[in-house]
Amino acid sequence: MLLDGINHIAWISKDVARLAQFYAEVFDADVGPTRPHGQGGNETMTNIRIGPHTGLNIVVIEGNTEPERQTPMWGRGRIDHFGLQAASPEAFATIRQRLMDNAASDGTINDFGAVHSIFFRDPDGLEGEVVIAKPSS
């Protein structure tokens, strides 16, 4: 393959501090500084590193109401949710517990054949999923 995963996912938030705290607490993410972004002077961007070469580029745009809009699964536009790859079965278990501790998931483990996954909602209401390959038998 020519690709090695996802470099970043970008979305608009109303409260980057709250979002950064969630991803740092649950996923041990590294939160970068908030910097001015865009041409109009009403945007900032914060990069939240969630893996060795994967980040969340969180943009806050003054007056933008898009972060308030959430609809049911498959009604949220072209990108519905995102999946994060757990580093190990132990990491998957730790993340699962942290998601439940943060009331971001009920902890249900989904069996999708070759993988297990857990769905969660971050503080902005964005749906995410954590995936781990099932052990070979």
Side-chain angles (χ1 to χ4, degrees), residues 64-83:
N64 187 299
T65 59
E66 189 63 25
E68 299 165 13
R69 185 176 66 91
Q70 290 295 319
T71 58
M73 189 176 228
W74 309 123
R76 294 182 276 226
R78 294 182 91 177
I79 297 177
D80 184 80
H81 66 279
F82 62 95

PDB file of all heavy atoms in Angstrom, residues 64-83:
ATOM      1  N   ASN A  64     -19.648  30.460  14.430  1.00  0.00           N
ATOM      2  CA  ASN A  64     -20.052  29.318  13.611  1.00  0.00           C
ATOM      3  C   ASN A  64     -20.897  28.369  14.464  1.00  0.00           C
ATOM      4  O   ASN A  64     -20.479  27.973  15.555  1.00  0.00           O
ATOM      5  CB  ASN A  64     -18.817  28.598  13.074  1.00  0.00           C
ATOM      6  CG  ASN A  64     -19.157  27.513  12.089  1.00  0.00           C
ATOM      7  OD1 ASN A  64     -19.846  26.561  12.419  1.00  0.00           O
ATOM      8  ND2 ASN A  64     -18.646  27.634  10.881  1.00  0.00           N
ATOM      9  N   THR A  65     -22.076  28.000  13.990  1.00  0.00           N
ATOM     10  CA  THR A  65     -22.991  27.149  14.762  1.00  0.00           C
ATOM     11  C   THR A  65     -22.938  25.683  14.332  1.00  0.00           C
ATOM     12  O   THR A  65     -23.685  24.859  14.867  1.00  0.00           O
ATOM     13  CB  THR A  65     -24.439  27.659  14.631  1.00  0.00           C
ATOM     14  OG1 THR A  65     -24.812  27.644  13.252  1.00  0.00           O
ATOM     15  CG2 THR A  65     -24.575  29.066  15.214  1.00  0.00           C
ATOM     16  N   GLU A  66     -22.093  25.334  13.392  1.00  0.00           N
ATOM     17  CA  GLU A  66     -22.016  23.955  12.903  1.00  0.00           C
ATOM     18  C   GLU A  66     -21.764  22.932  14.018  1.00  0.00           C
ATOM     19  O   GLU A  66     -22.354  21.850  13.995  1.00  0.00           O
ATOM     20  CB  GLU A  66     -20.940  23.840  11.819  1.00  0.00           C
ATOM     21  CG  GLU A  66     -20.926  22.509  11.104  1.00  0.00           C
ATOM     22  CD  GLU A  66     -22.210  22.204  10.334  1.00  0.00           C
ATOM     23  OE1 GLU A  66     -22.932  23.128   9.941  1.00  0.00           O
ATOM     24  OE2 GLU A  66     -22.479  20.998  10.141  1.00  0.00           O
ATOM     25  N   PRO A  67     -20.926  23.230  15.037  1.00  0.00           N
ATOM     26  CA  PRO A  67     -20.706  22.227  16.084  1.00  0.00           C
ATOM     27  C   PRO A  67     -21.960  21.853  16.882  1.00  0.00           C
ATOM     28  O   PRO A  67     -21.994  20.828  17.545  1.00  0.00           O
ATOM     29  CB  PRO A  67     -19.680  22.883  17.003  1.00  0.00           C
ATOM     30  CG  PRO A  67     -19.016  23.910  16.185  1.00  0.00           C
ATOM     31  CD  PRO A  67     -20.044  24.380  15.194  1.00  0.00           C
ATOM     32  N   GLU A  68     -22.989  22.663  16.805  1.00  0.00           N
ATOM     33  CA  GLU A  68     -24.223  22.382  17.544  1.00  0.00           C
ATOM     34  C   GLU A  68     -25.106  21.363  16.836  1.00  0.00           C
ATOM     35  O   GLU A  68     -26.024  20.812  17.428  1.00  0.00           O
ATOM     36  CB  GLU A  68     -25.006  23.681  17.751  1.00  0.00           C
ATOM     37  CG  GLU A  68     -24.244  24.701  18.559  1.00  0.00           C
ATOM     38  CD  GLU A  68     -24.845  26.095  18.471  1.00  0.00           C
ATOM     39  OE1 GLU A  68     -25.974  26.248  17.985  1.00  0.00           O
ATOM     40  OE2 GLU A  68     -24.141  27.032  18.898  1.00  0.00           O
ATOM     41  N   ARG A  69     -24.838  21.119  15.552  1.00  0.00           N
ATOM     42  CA  ARG A  69     -25.694  20.252  14.749  1.00  0.00           C
ATOM     43  C   ARG A  69     -25.209  18.809  14.820  1.00  0.00           C
ATOM     44  O   ARG A  69     -24.121  18.493  14.398  1.00  0.00           O
ATOM     45  CB  ARG A  69     -25.684  20.731  13.294  1.00  0.00           C
ATOM     46  CG  ARG A  69     -26.634  19.984  12.399  1.00  0.00           C
ATOM     47  CD  ARG A  69     -26.630  20.569  11.004  1.00  0.00           C
ATOM     48  NE  ARG A  69     -25.373  20.398  10.317  1.00  0.00           N
ATOM     49  CZ  ARG A  69     -25.096  19.341   9.541  1.00  0.00           C
ATOM     50  NH1 ARG A  69     -25.960  18.385   9.385  1.00  0.00           N
ATOM     51  NH2 ARG A  69     -23.938  19.266   8.933  1.00  0.00           N
ATOM     52  N   GLN A  70     -26.033  17.942  15.369  1.00  0.00           N
ATOM     53  CA  GLN A  70     -25.772  16.499  15.374  1.00  0.00           C
ATOM     54  C   GLN A  70     -27.058  15.809  14.975  1.00  0.00           C
ATOM     55  O   GLN A  70     -28.129  16.169  15.444  1.00  0.00           O
ATOM     56  CB  GLN A  70     -25.327  16.001  16.749  1.00  0.00           C
ATOM     57  CG  GLN A  70     -23.951  16.453  17.141  1.00  0.00           C
ATOM     58  CD  GLN A  70     -22.871  15.869  16.247  1.00  0.00           C
ATOM     59  OE1 GLN A  70     -22.902  14.707  15.874  1.00  0.00           O
ATOM     60  NE2 GLN A  70     -21.908  16.689  15.887  1.00  0.00           N
ATOM     61  N   THR A  71     -26.943  14.830  14.111  1.00  0.00           N
ATOM     62  CA  THR A  71     -28.109  14.086  13.669  1.00  0.00           C
ATOM     63  C   THR A  71     -27.818  12.603  13.838  1.00  0.00           C
ATOM     64  O   THR A  71     -26.689  12.229  14.122  1.00  0.00           O
ATOM     65  CB  THR A  71     -28.436  14.391  12.187  1.00  0.00           C
ATOM     66  OG1 THR A  71     -27.290  14.068  11.400  1.00  0.00           O
ATOM     67  CG2 THR A  71     -28.791  15.857  11.990  1.00  0.00           C
ATOM     68  N   PRO A  72     -28.788  11.733  13.663  1.00  0.00           N
ATOM     69  CA  PRO A  72     -28.540  10.303  13.847  1.00  0.00           C
ATOM     70  C   PRO A  72     -27.498   9.754  12.865  1.00  0.00           C
ATOM     71  O   PRO A  72     -27.235  10.347  11.819  1.00  0.00           O
ATOM     72  CB  PRO A  72     -29.903   9.664  13.573  1.00  0.00           C
ATOM     73  CG  PRO A  72     -30.890  10.757  13.682  1.00  0.00           C
ATOM     74  CD  PRO A  72     -30.169  12.023  13.339  1.00  0.00           C
ATOM     75  N   MET A  73     -26.928   8.605  13.229  1.00  0.00           N
ATOM     76  CA  MET A  73     -25.940   7.952  12.389  1.00  0.00           C
ATOM     77  C   MET A  73     -26.450   7.837  10.953  1.00  0.00           C
ATOM     78  O   MET A  73     -27.610   7.550  10.729  1.00  0.00           O
ATOM     79  CB  MET A  73     -25.609   6.566  12.947  1.00  0.00           C
ATOM     80  CG  MET A  73     -24.444   5.895  12.262  1.00  0.00           C
ATOM     81  SD  MET A  73     -24.062   4.333  13.083  1.00  0.00           S
ATOM     82  CE  MET A  73     -22.316   4.496  13.270  1.00  0.00           C
ATOM     83  N   TRP A  74     -25.569   8.069  10.025  1.00  0.00           N
ATOM     84  CA  TRP A  74     -25.778   8.042   8.578  1.00  0.00           C
ATOM     85  C   TRP A  74     -26.622   9.223   8.100  1.00  0.00           C
ATOM     86  O   TRP A  74     -27.014   9.282   6.962  1.00  0.00           O
ATOM     87  CB  TRP A  74     -26.326   6.709   8.082  1.00  0.00           C
ATOM     88  CG  TRP A  74     -25.517   5.574   8.582  1.00  0.00           C
ATOM     89  CD1 TRP A  74     -25.974   4.510   9.310  1.00  0.00           C
ATOM     90  CD2 TRP A  74     -24.108   5.369   8.447  1.00  0.00           C
ATOM     91  NE1 TRP A  74     -24.934   3.668   9.634  1.00  0.00           N
ATOM     92  CE2 TRP A  74     -23.775   4.180   9.111  1.00  0.00           C
ATOM     93  CE3 TRP A  74     -23.076   6.084   7.841  1.00  0.00           C
ATOM     94  CZ2 TRP A  74     -22.476   3.684   9.186  1.00  0.00           C
ATOM     95  CZ3 TRP A  74     -21.790   5.593   7.916  1.00  0.00           C
ATOM     96  CH2 TRP A  74     -21.497   4.406   8.576  1.00  0.00           C
ATOM     97  N   GLY A  75     -26.852  10.195   8.976  1.00  0.00           N
ATOM     98  CA  GLY A  75     -27.531  11.414   8.580  1.00  0.00           C
ATOM     99  C   GLY A  75     -26.671  12.625   8.871  1.00  0.00           C
ATOM    100  O   GLY A  75     -27.166  13.743   8.935  1.00  0.00           O
ATOM    101  N   ARG A  76     -25.378  12.404   9.078  1.00  0.00           N
ATOM    102  CA  ARG A  76     -24.493  13.488   9.503  1.00  0.00           C
ATOM    103  C   ARG A  76     -23.626  14.020   8.367  1.00  0.00           C
ATOM    104  O   ARG A  76     -22.634  14.669   8.603  1.00  0.00           O
ATOM    105  CB  ARG A  76     -23.592  12.988  10.633  1.00  0.00           C
ATOM    106  CG  ARG A  76     -24.375  12.658  11.879  1.00  0.00           C
ATOM    107  CD  ARG A  76     -23.470  12.224  12.994  1.00  0.00           C
ATOM    108  NE  ARG A  76     -23.149  10.813  12.906  1.00  0.00           N
ATOM    109  CZ  ARG A  76     -23.193   9.971  13.924  1.00  0.00           C
ATOM    110  NH1 ARG A  76     -23.519  10.405  15.116  1.00  0.00           N
ATOM    111  NH2 ARG A  76     -22.890   8.717  13.767  1.00  0.00           N
ATOM    112  N   GLY A  77     -23.963  13.720   7.145  1.00  0.00           N
ATOM    113  CA  GLY A  77     -23.153  14.203   6.031  1.00  0.00           C
ATOM    114  C   GLY A  77     -22.238  13.112   5.509  1.00  0.00           C
ATOM    115  O   GLY A  77     -22.348  11.947   5.875  1.00  0.00           O
ATOM    116  N   ARG A  78     -21.317  13.509   4.652  1.00  0.00           N
ATOM    117  CA  ARG A  78     -20.458  12.537   3.974  1.00  0.00           C
ATOM    118  C   ARG A  78     -19.551  11.800   4.939  1.00  0.00           C
ATOM    119  O   ARG A  78     -19.245  10.634   4.741  1.00  0.00           O
ATOM    120  CB  ARG A  78     -19.626  13.242   2.915  1.00  0.00           C
ATOM    121  CG  ARG A  78     -20.493  13.786   1.805  1.00  0.00           C
ATOM    122  CD  ARG A  78     -19.656  14.427   0.775  1.00  0.00           C
ATOM    123  NE  ARG A  78     -19.336  13.404  -0.217  1.00  0.00           N
ATOM    124  CZ  ARG A  78     -18.657  13.633  -1.300  1.00  0.00           C
ATOM    125  NH1 ARG A  78     -18.190  14.833  -1.543  1.00  0.00           N
ATOM    126  NH2 ARG A  78     -18.422  12.680  -2.151  1.00  0.00           N
ATOM    127  N   ILE A  79     -19.035  12.478   5.953  1.00  0.00           N
ATOM    128  CA  ILE A  79     -18.225  11.804   6.968  1.00  0.00           C
ATOM    129  C   ILE A  79     -19.099  11.678   8.204  1.00  0.00           C
ATOM    130  O   ILE A  79     -19.466  12.666   8.821  1.00  0.00           O
ATOM    131  CB  ILE A  79     -16.936  12.575   7.275  1.00  0.00           C
ATOM    132  CG1 ILE A  79     -16.067  12.633   6.014  1.00  0.00           C
ATOM    133  CG2 ILE A  79     -16.190  11.909   8.431  1.00  0.00           C
ATOM    134  CD1 ILE A  79     -14.802  13.436   6.171  1.00  0.00           C
ATOM    135  N   ASP A  80     -19.410  10.454   8.569  1.00  0.00           N
ATOM    136  CA  ASP A  80     -20.346  10.195   9.651  1.00  0.00           C
ATOM    137  C   ASP A  80     -19.656  10.059  11.009  1.00  0.00           C
ATOM    138  O   ASP A  80     -20.134  10.568  12.005  1.00  0.00           O
ATOM    139  CB  ASP A  80     -21.126   8.910   9.353  1.00  0.00           C
ATOM    140  CG  ASP A  80     -22.185   8.636  10.377  1.00  0.00           C
ATOM    141  OD1 ASP A  80     -23.257   9.263  10.287  1.00  0.00           O
ATOM    142  OD2 ASP A  80     -21.934   7.820  11.288  1.00  0.00           O
ATOM    143  N   HIS A  81     -18.544   9.338  11.064  1.00  0.00           N
ATOM    144  CA  HIS A  81     -17.796   9.156  12.299  1.00  0.00           C
ATOM    145  C   HIS A  81     -16.366   8.780  11.928  1.00  0.00           C
ATOM    146  O   HIS A  81     -16.052   8.621  10.765  1.00  0.00           O
ATOM    147  CB  HIS A  81     -18.438   8.090  13.199  1.00  0.00           C
ATOM    148  CG  HIS A  81     -18.407   6.709  12.649  1.00  0.00           C
ATOM    149  ND1 HIS A  81     -19.320   6.250  11.719  1.00  0.00           N
ATOM    150  CD2 HIS A  81     -17.551   5.678  12.862  1.00  0.00           C
ATOM    151  CE1 HIS A  81     -19.041   4.996  11.405  1.00  0.00           C
ATOM    152  NE2 HIS A  81     -17.969   4.620  12.075  1.00  0.00           N
ATOM    153  N   PHE A  82     -15.511   8.655  12.926  1.00  0.00           N
ATOM    154  CA  PHE A  82     -14.127   8.282  12.653  1.00  0.00           C
ATOM    155  C   PHE A  82     -13.742   7.115  13.538  1.00  0.00           C
ATOM    156  O   PHE A  82     -14.294   6.914  14.610  1.00  0.00           O
ATOM    157  CB  PHE A  82     -13.168   9.465  12.854  1.00  0.00           C
ATOM    158  CG  PHE A  82     -13.138   9.986  14.266  1.00  0.00           C
ATOM    159  CD1 PHE A  82     -12.177   9.556  15.158  1.00  0.00           C
ATOM    160  CD2 PHE A  82     -14.066  10.909  14.699  1.00  0.00           C
ATOM    161  CE1 PHE A  82     -12.151  10.017  16.454  1.00  0.00           C
ATOM    162  CE2 PHE A  82     -14.062  11.394  15.999  1.00  0.00           C
ATOM    163  CZ  PHE A  82     -13.096  10.936  16.884  1.00  0.00           C
ATOM    164  N   GLY A  83     -12.808   6.306  13.063  1.00  0.00           N
ATOM    165  CA  GLY A  83     -12.336   5.141  13.811  1.00  0.00           C
ATOM    166  C   GLY A  83     -10.882   5.309  14.191  1.00  0.00           C
ATOM    167  O   GLY A  83     -10.061   5.698  13.369  1.00  0.00           O
TER     168      GLY A  83
END
